[in-house]
Amino acid sequence: MFCPCGSKVNVIDVETGALLHSLQQDEEEDVTAFALSPDDEVLVTGSRALLLRRWHWREPSCERTWRAVHTAPVATMAFDPTATLLATGGCDSTIKIWDMIKHYCTHNLKGSSGVVHLVEFHPDISRLQLFSSSMDYKIRIWDLSSSKCVAVLDGHFSAVTSLAFADGNTLLSSGRDKICMVWDLETRQSKRTVPVYETVEAAVLLPEEGDFSQLGVKKQGLHFVTAGSKGILRVWDVATAACVHTQAVPFALREEPSERSLSQCQFVPARNEILTVSLEHNIVFYDAQSLQLRKQLAGYNEEVLDVKFLGPGDSHIVVATNSPQLKVFELATSHCQILYGHTETILALDVFRKGLMFVTGAKDRSIRVWRMGRAGRVTCVAQGLGHAHGVGAVTCSRLKENFIVTSSQDCTIKIWNIPESLTSKAKAASISSPEPLHARVTERGHDKDINSVAVSPNDKLLATGSQDRLAKLWSCSDCSLLGVFSGHKRGIWCVQFSPVDQVLATSSADGTLKLWGLRDFSCLKTFEGHDASVLKIIFVSRGAQLLSSGSDGLLKLWTIKTNECVKTLDGHEDKIWGLHSNKKDDTVVTASSDSCITLWQDVTEIEEKEAQAKQEEQIMKEQELSNLLHEKRYLKALGLAISLDRPHTVLTVVKAILKEPEGRRHLEENIVRLRKDQKEAVLAFLVTWNTNSRNCHEAQAVMETLLKHEAPDSLLQFSGIKSAVESLLPYTGEALWGQEVLAWVRDHGMLWGGRGMSVNPPLPPSQAAPSPVHPGLGHIQRVRDSHSFSGNLCQGFPTLT
């Protein structure tokens, strides 16, 4: 599936919802139109830079770029059935036909009025006809043999949005004038006008073969599906001009266009599905024979305000965006459920311990309780009203699904009991409409907005954080005040109980985190490091660490025992409002104002296993090296020591060889038999040895062998030869080098000038080689990120992705 987005086209795997790759153009080349060949092999895009690009999208790679010849951007394009011709309609009122084999423009069709926003080839190749529509609302038929307009179909009173061919002589057109028209292409007259009473963006013909009885198709004849401003699919019978089926939807229909309106609709024969795209960028797949929802991929999220793991095995995430609708994503497939119920923006949500029920609070002053069924379908089972302002924070009981705590801009705290009918699976399945909830306790808690509320792990305590810079501790039974935590200099954004200790964590707009004792309400620790407001905090690593998110888009991981920030993760570009950890405590999800939702994974155990395996391998090699030296197998010992990349180990082997009778000869024999890359490594090592008087004799012995057995031209090809000689000369006297060696050095442009070295001329770039790169000490890994995930290494809760 292809989705144009700015200067690129995203290729998405429909089965998993994963982004396969992006066909990236220059940043200034926004995609204005694209077309895929009938054989699904070639994609052509048009841009505002008046360029056409041909892509082999499976690679992905751009095969060819050429000028569109249009004087304004291309607005639409289409392939012919053979994929050998491409038609482009431009904003300059012209249509170009391109030969995709020989790569040239074959036709320049003039006569349209205004922007050409629709082009389609006739499915019969022998006819060589092109159909187009422009701003004058007329459909023009072009004969490509003569390059002339042979007919004009005049009947629509607004923009024509789609053309579909029923057979060689029947054409269906839809328009924003709320009608669809059926044309006879032999007489070039209208056969039927079907009023659909909504702005139609696309009309799709149903196949003549297939069982569509569930859609009201009772007899043979022409039927089509419309998609438009009401956001629903409807099936029409051309013979009677009547709607025979209307799709059931979970929201109220509107006469005026809204974010639920459909902008595109296509029939996918290979999957027997109908695909729709809404104005809020949701891509939905329906079964073509029943119009039942099969799959939904959510598009643009706008500002994401909260996110939580959902499901018994944390298989889903529930997301609150800047809208009244909830989105529930299945992580394995990216399938999305959109939940309707609230009438204004959802501000907060929380999930019960078992992961099957969750609660939401919204600006419409209401709370709703939702339940996930066995098949993963989520429904609203209860709702409550009572707050005077928007519900900004919600939390659930930790032990059992028996109560909810909410707080609001009205400065009050409410505790709501959950009816037993909602907690029983058998009874909950029989609920047909949301049950009403009633607040058991209402208490004015703060003097300003309450931003956060949390319940202790034993369900006995309740904590709140407010804009009045105070956090307070309450009893869950009667909401009586137990204590006040005072110390932050600005409003408190988040409060969290430790899962293992009797402490409370708070985060504030003053950029700090604090830990408080629940017995004496004193501040135990203060964590400083954020340069902006700290919006959310959670305990991770079984309570040993804190993870915080800020309005600067950064995540920080803190070790509580040492008060140290052990890792800073940069994964978002704006405020991180949502932060939650799964039950296994090895995965974290974050949500931000930058519209991104990111999963981070703890890979500490994986890294430790890799480090342990590497250490064990080193020990085995060192043991093998010791055995080789004992057995006096010096050549293999030398090669193994070089592979360990340890200069001192190599020096040990060299010294062992020199201690043997006729050691010089043995060393020479072994050095000569090394590979070129091994000799280069030894050359780099001996530079270090030569700076120490205890090791200089071994360095000189190795250098003498290299100079004796390697031709000058061969030595010049060694990596780092120039820097090696420059480093060796200041520590090596002229007597030790000998006149022959110095003559060789001078002949190859290396002059010894007393205290230093000068090189004249330098080595040619083709012969120069980079210095050896030594392995680094740290490791950062990025795993998966949109619907991307990323990763890093730290201690305790290290690699988050």
Side-chain angles (χ1 to χ4, degrees):
M1 183 175 60
F2 304 92
C3 301
C5 178
S7 61
K8 60 186 178 182
V9 176
N10 294 328
V11 184
I12 299 174
D13 187 326
V14 174
E15 295 298 334
T16 63
L19 176 65
L20 298 180
H21 45 254
S22 294
L23 309 179
Q24 180 69 48
Q25 302 188 141
D26 294 338
E27 293 184 0
E28 299 179 357
E29 294 186 39
D30 285 349
V31 177
T32 57
F34 75 99
L36 181 66
S37 60
D39 57 4
D40 293 340
E41 292 298 327
V42 178
L43 179 76
V44 176
T45 60
S47 68
R48 292 191 182 277
L50 306 184
L51 295 176
L52 297 176
R53 294 182 185 270
R54 173 178 174 147
W55 304 84
H56 192 283
W57 62 269
R58 299 180 193 275
E59 299 296 335
S61 61
C62 180
E63 296 180 340
R64 188 169 180 269
T65 300
W66 71 97
R67 293 193 176 276
V69 186
H70 291 276
T71 58
V74 174
T76 182
M77 60 176 66
F79 277 97
D80 79 326
T82 65
T84 58
L85 296 178
L86 175 72
T88 58
C91 297
D92 57 0
S93 306
T94 66
I95 302 170
K96 316 287 185 186
I97 309 295
W98 302 87
D99 187 318
M100 297 303 293
I101 305 298
K102 299 181 180 179
H103 304 294
Y104 68 95
C105 181
T106 62
H107 298 74
N108 182 20
L109 308 179
K110 297 182 179 180
S112 300
S113 176
V115 176
V116 180
H117 56 255
L118 193 61
V119 290
E120 287 287 347
F121 283 94
H122 194 284
D124 187 351
I125 305 172
S126 61
R127 291 201 180 187
L128 277 179
Q129 289 182 338
L130 179 74
F131 292 72
S132 70
S133 182
S134 58
M135 296 301 292
D136 59 2
Y137 318 141
K138 298 177 181 179
I139 301 171
R140 287 178 169 79
I141 304 176
W142 304 85
D143 183 0
L144 300 184
S145 300
S146 60
S147 299
K148 294 182 180 179
C149 177
V150 295
V152 177
L153 308 181
D154 191 359
H156 285 281
F157 297 95
S158 187
V160 178
T161 55
S162 69
L163 299 175
F165 296 90
D167 53 47
N169 293 314
T170 304
L171 174 70
L172 173 69
S173 63
S174 65
R176 297 197 176 107
D177 51 6
K178 302 184 179 182
I179 62 171
C180 291
M181 301 187 70
V182 181
W183 303 88
D184 187 331
L185 296 182
E186 285 188 347
T187 62
R188 293 167 183 171
Q189 298 295 322
S190 172
K191 294 169 59 176
R192 174 78 67 179
T193 298
V194 181
V196 296
Y197 307 109
E198 70 169 319
T199 300
V200 183
E201 293 298 331
V204 176
L205 286 165
L206 289 177
E208 294 184 4
E209 299 179 357
D211 180 14
F212 296 96
S213 57
Q214 297 184 60
L215 303 182
V217 179
K218 305 298 183 183
K219 56 184 179 179
Q220 293 291 327
L222 194 60
H223 294 78
F224 63 92
V225 180
T226 58
S229 58
K230 291 185 178 180
I232 60 173
L233 297 177
R234 295 193 289 176
V235 182
W236 301 83
D237 185 352
V238 171
T240 61
C243 177
V244 296
H245 181 80
T246 300
Q247 181 188 27
V249 290
F251 52 82
L253 300 181
R254 299 181 185 178
E255 292 298 327
E256 297 297 325
S258 66
E259 68 278 358
R260 299 170 191 153
S261 299
L262 302 179
S263 60
Q264 295 183 43
C265 181
Q266 288 185 0
F267 177 69
V268 186
R271 298 172 59 90
N272 195 31
E273 291 177 341
I274 292 178
L275 177 151
T276 65
V277 181
S278 68
L279 291 182
E280 54 186 1
H281 309 287
N282 296 323
I283 304 169
V284 188
F285 296 85
Y286 297 101
D287 182 272
Q289 295 181 326
S290 63
L291 293 188
Q292 294 296 316
L293 177 66
R294 281 190 178 176
K295 190 163 194 170
Q296 187 165 231
L297 303 177
Y300 184 57
N301 288 316
E302 240 182 292
E303 187 173 6
V304 187
L305 302 181
D306 208 350
V307 62
K308 291 287 190 296
F309 282 100
L310 182 64
D314 296 320
S315 57
H316 297 68
I317 56 173
V318 55
V319 181
T321 61
N322 192 18
S323 75
Q325 287 82 47
L326 273 172
K327 294 178 180 178
V328 177
F329 292 92
E330 185 178 6
L331 294 178
T333 64
S334 295
H335 171 58
C336 175
Q337 296 178 62
I338 298 181
L339 308 180
Y340 298 89
H342 286 287
T343 57
E344 293 188 51
T345 301
I346 298 170
L347 299 175
L349 55 90
D350 195 21
V351 180
F352 285 95
R353 180 177 60 88
K354 293 181 180 179
L356 293 175
M357 289 177 58
F358 63 96
V359 60
T360 56
K363 280 186 177 180
D364 59 10
R365 310 176 191 178
S366 72
I367 64 170
R368 285 180 175 263
V369 180
W370 310 79
R371 187 177 186 88
M372 174 181 283
R374 291 183 178 179
R377 183 173 178 82
V378 179
T379 55
C380 180
V381 294
Q383 62 178 336
L385 292 170
H387 281 287
H389 293 282
V391 182
V394 296
T395 188
C396 305
S397 55
R398 299 293 104 186
L399 293 178
K400 296 182 179 180
E401 300 172 339
N402 53 7
F403 69 90
I404 299 167
V405 183
T406 62
S407 61
S408 166
Q409 293 177 354
D410 60 12
C411 305
T412 64
I413 308 163
K414 289 183 181 290
I415 301 178
W416 312 72
N417 284 340
I418 300 293
E420 187 179 348
S421 58
L422 299 184
T423 58
S424 171
K425 292 183 180 180
K427 294 180 179 179
S430 62
I431 296 176
S432 58
S433 61
E435 291 191 8
L437 296 178
H438 301 284
R440 170 169 59 87
V441 179
T442 300
E443 183 72 28
R444 181 177 176 84
H446 293 267
D447 296 328
K448 292 185 178 181
D449 298 355
I450 301 175
N451 294 327
S452 178
V453 61
V455 174
S456 64
N458 61 2
D459 280 353
K460 292 182 178 181
L461 301 175
L462 173 67
T464 56
S466 169
Q467 283 295 107
D468 62 8
R469 299 178 290 180
L470 299 177
K472 294 185 178 182
L473 189 68
W474 311 80
S475 170
C476 274
S477 58
D478 56 359
C479 210
S480 58
L481 181 63
L482 301 178
V484 177
F485 305 95
S486 177
H488 281 293
K489 297 179 181 179
R490 299 187 66 181
I492 295 175
W493 278 111
C494 187
V495 294
Q496 285 290 336
F497 285 97
S498 169
V500 293
D501 298 317
Q502 293 186 14
V503 297
L504 179 76
T506 60
S507 66
S508 168
D510 61 13
T512 66
L513 296 79
K514 290 180 181 291
L515 285 182
W516 309 84
L518 296 182
R519 295 184 181 277
D520 57 2
F521 311 109
S522 63
C523 180
L524 305 177
K525 288 179 179 287
T526 298
F527 302 88
E528 297 180 349
H530 280 280
D531 295 329
S533 298
V534 186
L535 302 177
K536 280 289 175 72
I537 49 172
I538 58 172
F539 284 89
V540 293
S541 301
R542 296 172 180 81
Q545 293 180 301
L546 277 170
L547 188 63
S548 61
S549 66
S551 59
D552 52 5
L554 298 177
L555 286 171
K556 287 185 178 291
L557 183 65
W558 310 82
T559 298
I560 294 175
K561 186 176 181 180
T562 61
N563 249 46
E564 180 186 4
C565 176
V566 294
K567 183 62 64 175
T568 298
L569 307 173
D570 188 0
H572 291 281
E573 298 177 357
D574 209 339
K575 303 178 184 68
I576 302 177
W577 291 110
L579 177 63
H580 192 227
S581 175
N582 67 346
K583 297 184 185 71
K584 293 182 179 179
D585 206 18
D586 62 357
T587 305
V588 169
V589 61
T590 57
S592 168
S593 295
D594 61 7
S595 307
C596 291
I597 302 164
T598 305
L599 288 178
W600 307 80
Q601 186 178 5
D602 178 5
V603 295
T604 309
E605 188 175 349
I606 297 174
E607 295 288 349
E608 288 177 350
K609 287 182 179 179
E610 290 179 354
Q612 183 178 357
K614 188 174 182 181
Q615 185 179 6
E616 291 175 355
E617 184 183 0
Q618 290 287 94
I619 294 172
M620 293 294 292
K621 285 185 177 180
E622 289 176 358
Q623 182 61 47
E624 183 183 357
L625 178 61
S626 177
N627 295 338
L628 292 173
L629 289 175
H630 181 71
E631 298 169 4
K632 298 184 179 182
R633 297 166 62 186
Y634 294 121
L635 178 61
K636 193 169 183 179
L638 196 58
L640 181 58
I642 293 171
S643 69
L644 290 172
D645 195 28
R646 293 182 180 179
H648 182 72
T649 306
V650 178
L651 178 62
T652 302
V653 177
V654 172
K655 287 185 176 182
I657 296 174
L658 289 175
K659 287 180 181 179
E660 293 292 316
E662 299 185 5
R664 283 271 183 170
R665 183 175 62 81
H666 289 308
L667 177 65
E668 186 173 337
E669 291 175 353
N670 287 299
I671 293 293
V672 169
R673 295 172 65 184
L674 293 176
R675 300 191 309 268
K676 180 188 175 186
D677 61 312
Q678 293 175 323
K679 293 176 181 177
E680 290 176 349
V682 171
L683 177 63
F685 295 159
L686 68 85
V687 171
T688 305
W689 305 340
N690 196 52
T691 61
N692 191 322
S693 60
R694 290 178 297 178
N695 306 323
C696 63
H697 296 291
E698 289 80 7
Q700 294 296 323
V702 175
M703 188 64 193
E704 179 185 353
T705 301
L706 290 175
L707 292 175
K708 181 177 179 181
H709 292 276
E710 294 291 331
D713 291 339
S714 176
L715 274 176
L716 287 173
Q717 300 299 322
F718 274 33
S719 174
I721 180 64
K722 183 180 72 173
S723 59
V725 173
E726 288 178 352
S727 302
L728 286 168
L729 282 175
Y731 290 94
T732 304
E734 184 174 347
L736 289 177
W737 279 88
Q739 295 300 324
E740 184 180 350
V741 175
L742 289 177
W744 178 88
V745 172
R746 292 190 185 95
D747 290 343
H748 291 83
M750 301 179 182
L751 303 178
W752 184 20
R755 296 184 179 179
M757 274 284 292
S758 62
V759 179
N760 184 26
L763 290 175
S766 61
Q767 297 180 357
S771 300
V773 178
H774 296 283
L777 299 178
H779 174 59
I780 296 178
Q781 173 189 351
R782 194 165 183 86
V783 182
R784 187 188 169 196
D785 166 41
S786 165
H787 344 266
S788 157
F789 302 83
S790 53
N792 300 66
L793 176 64
C794 54
Q795 192 176 18
F797 200 88
T799 311
L800 298 174
T801 70

